[in-house]
Amino acid sequence: MMEIGTLHYLLVGAVLFLIGMVGVITRRNVVIIFMSIELMLSAVNLNLLAFSRLYGLHGQVFALFIAADAAAESAIGLGILISFFRNRATVNMDEVDLLKW
Amino acid sequence: MTPVATPFFFYFLSSIAIISAIVMIVKVNPVHSALALIVTLLACAGLYLMLYAPFMAGVQIVLYAGGILVMFLFVMMLVNIEHLYVEKMLNRQWIVGLAATAVLALLMLAALVRGAHTLPQHIVNYSEQNNVQEIGQLLYGRNTGYYMFPFEIASVLLLVAVVGAVVMAKRRV
């Protein structure tokens, strides 16, 4: 087996990001869409850490900020989801059309 | 410490991560998806360890796999499982979405292939023992604390998220 370089990690990050993007675009269930967004953020973290091995520790600090953002985003998103479920009794993304006439 | 069997662990962890990510997006039941997502995030934490980032690996396990996934499993109580198996899993624009993702995949592949030679060949292996101290120096150090102000902004962001989540989930709006 060949030596593992930065490019391998970037490739894995890209594949995970694309899988998350497929989940966000094609699924109807809002909970799974949120999970796909978490997966995309984690893939970006993998890229940042791979680059931080080349350019210094700043990438790890940015990955920490992204983790904090992910926590905030999922808290807000799940709050919106609960509120929406109370009003419409559904968790399907294509039925979220309150702002669309 | 010199790493042992790096290629094997890399391929092992990344294949676990990718396979369980695919499982996550094709499962109908969201509980199965959440369990697959836990496996993916733990495999990512292993990859972080291989990248000499033990602090971020710990944060990944505690924050994602421990915190966010528990929140997801709470919200699962909303979802009517029997209802999910009879209705459609994908929305109407899934073919267009797959095409857009394929285009983005080609773009990323082109960027990685054409830009591979611009990456520095010299890889710094930081010491794992001092990782937390060095990140703390970047966050709070007297002379090296470049990220002190963004850190405070992140705390304000978390406060806003807490207030927003409570307001959103408390009563009928």
Side-chain angles (χ1 to χ4, degrees), chain B:
Chain B
M1 237 167 52
T2 53
V4 285
T6 312
F8 169 73
F9 277 112
F10 174 78
Y11 288 114
F12 179 67
L13 288 172
S14 53
S15 57
I16 285 180
I18 290 171
I19 289 171
S20 58
I22 292 173
V23 168
M24 183 195 86
I25 64 166
V26 301
K27 278 287 182 184
V28 178
N29 193 336
V31 180
H32 298 168
S33 292
L35 294 178
L37 181 60
I38 289 176
V39 175
T40 305
L41 294 177
L42 290 180
C44 278
L47 288 176
Y48 295 173
L49 274 182
M50 293 181 62
L51 285 168
Y52 296 92
F55 179 65
M56 272 313 294
V59 166
Q60 176 91 356
I61 292 173
V62 171
L63 192 71
Y64 279 93
I68 295 179
L69 261 300
V70 169
M71 199 150 65
F72 274 118
L73 290 174
F74 269 115
V75 175
M76 289 311 164
M77 288 188 283
L78 291 177
V79 183
N80 189 353
I81 301 291
E82 294 83 26
H83 200 222
L84 284 176
Y85 283 101
V86 295
E87 67 183 11
K88 278 191 302 181
M89 191 172 92
L90 303 174
N91 56 18
R92 273 173 307 179
Q93 73 265 18
W94 66 274
I95 297 176
V96 184
L98 282 184
T101 312
V103 171
L104 185 66
L106 287 179
L107 189 65
M108 281 181 172
L109 194 64
L112 285 180
V113 168
R114 293 173 63 94
H117 66 281
T118 63
L119 291 174
Q121 293 304 312
H122 176 65
I123 291 180
V124 191
N125 284 335
Y126 296 102
S127 74
E128 288 147 320
Q129 280 85 18
N130 296 329
N131 184 261
V132 181
Q133 285 95 325
E134 283 165 0
I135 288 178
Q137 283 294 326
L138 278 178
L139 282 176
Y140 318 109
R142 184 180 291 274
N143 295 316
T144 57
Y146 303 113
Y147 295 101
M148 192 176 280
F149 187 62
F151 190 76
E152 299 298 326
I153 296 295
S155 68
V156 174
L157 176 76
L158 286 176
L159 178 68
V160 170
V162 167
V163 173
V166 169
V167 167
M168 209 77 73
K170 187 163 68 84
R171 58 182 153 68
R172 190 172 279 274
V173 285

